[in-house]
Amino acid sequence: MYRLTVLWSLLAALLCSEWSSATQVPLNVADGSGARLATSGPDTDLVHWNFEDLPNPNATGHLVFETVHSLLQHWPNTRMRNGHTVVQGTVPIGTYLYHATNRHRVPTTPDWVAMNPEESTIFCMGPSENGCWHLTLVTTRPLKVLYFDGNSAAKLNSGTMDTQDVLTWGKVLPEKTWMEQERIAALCEWGSQHGVDGFIRMEMDFEVMMCDFSSGLEVVSFLHLASPDPLDVPPVTESRGFLRAFESLHAGSWSNRFPGELHVQLDLSNIVSFYDTDLVPSLVPARFGKERWDHRVLNISDEDLLRAKTRVEEELARPRELSSGVDWMALIGTIVHRYASRLELMQYLLGSIAWGDPGAILDAARKTQVQLRVSLMSHIVLNAAPLEGSNSLDWARPTFESCATSHAARLEGLNMTPSEKLLFQAVRETTKEICRVVTGMWASGVLAGLDDYLNPKKDLNITAITHLTRKWEGDVNRLMQWLDWNVWVKCRPECSIEEMCYLSTWPVGFPQGEMPPPSPPDEDGPYMPSPGPFPVPDTAPDWRRPQPRCVRRVEPYTF
């Protein structure tokens, strides 16, 4: 428990700063276009290409898609804290790991190690005459690990620990949120039955819950360091606490975006997701009507919980060579690259229109039509053309189909694991909706005469174009809202060189009830007054739903 108190005492110095204007929209599959919702489950044959069929509200393919694209990345897992994914991985040979302690002794029981010394040294604290000990380790063989996504080391009662609870206690137990020593012992006992060396979680940075320091690790150095921040040496200033706390957060930001934490290699062929509606159907009604921020595993049925835990154990035992060999992360990343920036540009073009200016409306409509055609260039077949005098979009269905199936059409016959079948379905569901919207927008632009290559018109009806561009704006906004890709969540304008784009990170700016409890006086750990000499920061207004903002990297520090 001392490591929690150390962390809070250092971070208690952090004060909230002004919020930037950067915002994002939460998940909300609302129908504002008059289109009808698909009434069946996920589309498994992709036979019908109806532009008016919206995704099933209970479909989760787009959620699986985005969580997979976000694995081991600090930014998206700080934003959406409640993880739903458990996946096996490997820490390669030659990886350096770090551990701070007040004793010159390698741990003989399960304990925590950091991926970066900026994270480990935050627990290196004591009076000036004692200093602290800093252990550097290196892996001598690949370590088999299990990764929990989300902000899985944040001690919150709102769902960050749910997936761990399933494996640790056999059910979700919010009352055990702070029982970290009990948790690591139970996880390691269970993991020893499956050859697991440790567990990967994320707090301000990524950490490993290491089960056995005598297996697969070698000591590189065990240095007796001067205390980086001796609390008994005046003057105790806010800037001293700010510096180390910020640098821990700064180190975590190095893995903000893809490829994320490079010290861990995941095997997506054995991913287990609690968004898998076939594996855990009991969570479908529990999520209904809720924003993604509030999704959790708390209401899982006993039957589904047992099935999910059994799946995790089966995947841990399955040889990797039995998978299809598809690089799922590359496939999903390719789709994000192809559409993310173009959708963002179209949203900007349509959202910046001066609606009282016909020239501005027409200019934005033409530029948007160009982006739509570019997005579909490899799917517009030679004979695609509207019927004269008809407003139907049926002529564009071959383009819709080609676009939607272009990334996965030939994968279905491969020998896939159950996890890979989930990823395959996630790719199909996500690309189908992207292509439904993009192709429908492009085809309607063709009918309006906006396309330079197909059905161009010299005399355009500005009233009709105005209605069309307003509809387009709603279409793009709804699609991006549904996809909810974290690549669109950023500081606008960009931060200066002296700043860092930041999302509220536990425990900075969280309510007192979400803070680490004081350590017992006799607990093994470094010298640590509690709650520390620094003022407790105000509660951040976005602690539940973090919004990006710029914070300073140099004095005066602001959070």
Side-chain angles (χ1 to χ4, degrees), residues 263-511:
H263 296 104
V264 184
Q265 300 171 352
L266 299 179
D267 178 8
L268 296 186
S269 68
N270 63 39
I271 192 171
V272 176
S273 174
F274 287 87
Y275 280 128
D276 185 342
T277 55
D278 290 331
L279 182 67
V280 282
S282 61
L283 291 180
V284 173
R287 284 190 298 263
F288 188 79
K290 293 182 179 178
E291 295 179 347
R292 186 178 163 201
W293 314 91
D294 301 318
H295 293 179
R296 57 181 306 182
V297 184
L298 177 64
N299 295 308
I300 189 172
S301 69
D302 291 342
E303 180 183 10
D304 287 0
L305 189 152
L306 178 60
R307 184 164 50 249
K309 185 173 182 178
T310 299
R311 172 71 66 80
V312 172
E313 294 172 343
E314 290 172 349
E315 295 297 342
L316 286 170
R318 181 184 54 78
R320 185 168 187 171
E321 57 268 18
L322 295 182
S323 65
S324 71
V326 173
D327 188 336
W328 294 101
M329 187 62 78
L331 175 58
I332 289 173
T334 296
I335 295 167
V336 173
H337 290 161
R338 179 150 295 147
Y339 294 106
S341 63
R342 287 170 178 160
L343 287 172
E344 189 174 29
L345 176 57
M346 286 187 277
Q347 184 186 54
Y348 168 78
L349 291 172
L350 296 167
S352 304
I353 294 175
W355 293 104
D357 183 349
I361 296 171
L362 186 57
D363 181 64
R366 289 189 182 280
K367 290 176 178 177
T368 301
Q369 183 70 18
V370 170
Q371 292 302 311
L372 292 167
R373 170 171 271 276
V374 168
S375 299
L376 297 169
M377 190 174 298
S378 60
H379 308 293
I380 301 173
V381 296
L382 181 62
N383 60 353
L387 296 175
E388 187 174 352
S390 172
N391 290 325
S392 172
L393 300 183
D394 287 351
W395 61 272
R397 288 190 181 192
T399 299
F400 177 12
E401 179 182 6
S402 174
C403 172
T405 60
S406 60
H407 293 284
R410 299 304 178 190
L411 300 182
E412 192 166 10
L414 297 178
N415 184 25
M416 297 185 190
T417 67
S419 299
E420 290 182 295
K421 291 176 182 177
L422 175 69
L423 299 179
F424 175 65
Q425 186 63 31
V427 168
R428 295 211 305 183
E429 287 184 24
T430 304
T431 53
K432 183 180 181 183
E433 178 59 8
I434 293 172
C435 294
R436 183 190 72 84
V437 174
V438 171
T439 308
M441 290 174 63
W442 167 75
S444 61
V446 169
L447 291 178
L450 289 169
D451 198 278
D452 290 336
Y453 299 91
L454 186 60
N455 193 40
K457 296 179 181 178
K458 292 183 178 180
D459 298 322
L460 297 174
N461 185 328
I462 191 60
T463 300
I465 298 299
T466 300
H467 288 311
L468 179 63
T469 49
R470 285 190 181 276
K471 181 181 183 300
W472 278 358
E473 183 182 21
D475 291 341
V476 170
N477 286 338
R478 278 188 294 273
L479 175 60
M480 294 177 67
Q481 199 171 334
W482 182 80
L483 292 170
D484 200 25
W485 289 348
N486 279 279
V487 295
W488 296 318
V489 181
K490 61 186 82 172
C491 287
R492 305 172 192 268
E494 292 185 3
C495 303
S496 73
I497 189 64
E498 292 189 0
E499 296 176 317
M500 177 181 77
C501 194
Y502 171 76
L503 292 171
S504 288
T505 304
W506 185 89
V508 182
F510 280 64

